[in-house]
Amino acid sequence: MKHSKNIKFFSAKQDIKTEENRTNEDGYIEVASGTDRVRPANNVLRMISSVAAAAVLFTAIGATGYLMKRNKADSMKNSDTSLTEATESDLTMLISDNPVSPFGDFNQLVFSLSVLNQPYKEYSDDTCNKLAAFLNGFNWGEETAIAEYDIPDIDEYEGEGYGIFWKKGDAYFDIFITEDGKAYYMKTKCDPDGGSFYYPVTESFAFNIDYNSFDNGIKDILQQDVPDKGEKLSQMEIKRLSEGEFRNAYVNYEMNSESETITPENPETQAALSNFLEKDFLAMLKKEGTANYQDGELMYMVVRFFKSSDTTVRRESFFIYTNGFVNLCSYELTDKDEIPTGTWNYNIDTSEFETRLNDILAGKYDEAVPEKKDGKKQDNVQPTTEKPVNQETTENQTESENRDEKVTTKPADPPVVPEVTAP
């Protein structure tokens, strides 16, 4: 298998599209879609995260380094006993001796699982929790280092099997399990090269496993899956969007081809706004509906920063439209480049968002802000001028009649603050 351009075995929730920047006459950076700059999506999963990411889902907590610990899971001695026959206490007993896999704790990873050569399916939070417990407790056996060319080309694979995917910063982790009793682990890391992004393999291992036990266990879990109902985002999706150490966030009011950063003068109000953008904002997001950006006008942009690894910072830019359509563009920021990692679409009640925003700016949430940790300061960030995917900059847009009522506290000139860089 040739990995010179690193075929991406598994993506996350929807197809990752390249975001090629270009500066327009107004000084904004527009984003055009493409497909030649990121890991090619496999038909196993239709991405992200997730990214991906992410179904899901992408970015992982504490995955790097766990592999070197070489934890040998031996708690699945009765692995041929199906999970449908096991009670909850039985399952707990099976994984209690060694609850962490050699790849890391799947309870902490934002991972996706797919059945090879079958359409991708999103699973409920309950199913994802059961999968994490099973993957942690499964007996993966001894790992053997293998060369890159010994990894079979999953795009050409026609047998039965499974794929597991997660990411951490600019590193991607893939495991694919084949019916011949092999589990192939591969780590790739983004290597930016001008306008292109390559993903060479940096680690690869193979495990000899009992495929029947693995297959039976996974099938038992998936057959019991009951899809989550309602419009709210899944726990896994919120986990993906919250992964890493929160650094800072801000919100821009976007109308008439202008961009104004909302910056309260009161430190307590600013802290309340940051707290809202980190946490409660996600609770307002809903699963993608029928609305699209063409039927609305860009109204707000929420930007959040997370330390996603020791060398990268994740930037999430949510573009909120007047009709409730939300487009998210995600990037990994390194000391050398900005790496596009995926786009996702959501919906939001704009009236609810604006009501909460105005209440925060009026100081109604100042006392509810948790105390800051000693010596912990939030990083200053540079407001971004990026535009959402497929968003065309329009001219001579109509001034909103209620603009001053919607956002009561806006600086005449957005402050200039230092640009965030990866630590």
Side-chain angles (χ1 to χ4, degrees), residues 97-146:
D97 292 338
N98 191 358
V100 178
S101 79
F103 315 106
D105 185 355
F106 278 95
N107 289 308
Q108 301 300 319
L109 302 182
V110 181
F111 70 95
S112 60
L113 180 142
S114 66
V115 181
L116 297 184
N117 298 316
Q118 292 189 20
Y120 174 73
K121 180 181 178 181
E122 292 185 17
Y123 299 106
S124 68
D125 288 328
D126 181 63
T127 296
C128 289
N129 292 335
K130 291 179 180 178
L131 287 172
F134 178 81
L135 295 174
N136 276 342
F138 183 71
N139 183 1
W140 295 93
E142 298 287 337
E143 85 282 351
T144 302
I146 59 174

Side-chain angles (χ1 to χ4, degrees), residues 1 3 5-16 38-53 58 112 154-155 165 167 172 174 186 188 199 341:
M1 177 179 184
H3 292 288
K5 293 188 178 180
N6 188 53
I7 295 178
K8 176 181 179 297
F9 294 130
F10 310 109
S11 54
K13 176 177 177 184
Q14 33 183 305
D15 292 333
I16 298 182
V38 296
R39 297 172 23 137
N42 184 281
N43 58 8
V44 174
L45 291 177
R46 48 172 187 85
M47 180 125 187
I48 120 110
S49 316
S50 91
V51 275
F58 329 123
S112 60
I154 201 63
D155 288 333
F165 165 81
K167 72 180 288 290
Y172 294 78
D174 298 279
M186 186 173 64
T188 59
Y199 295 81
T341 55

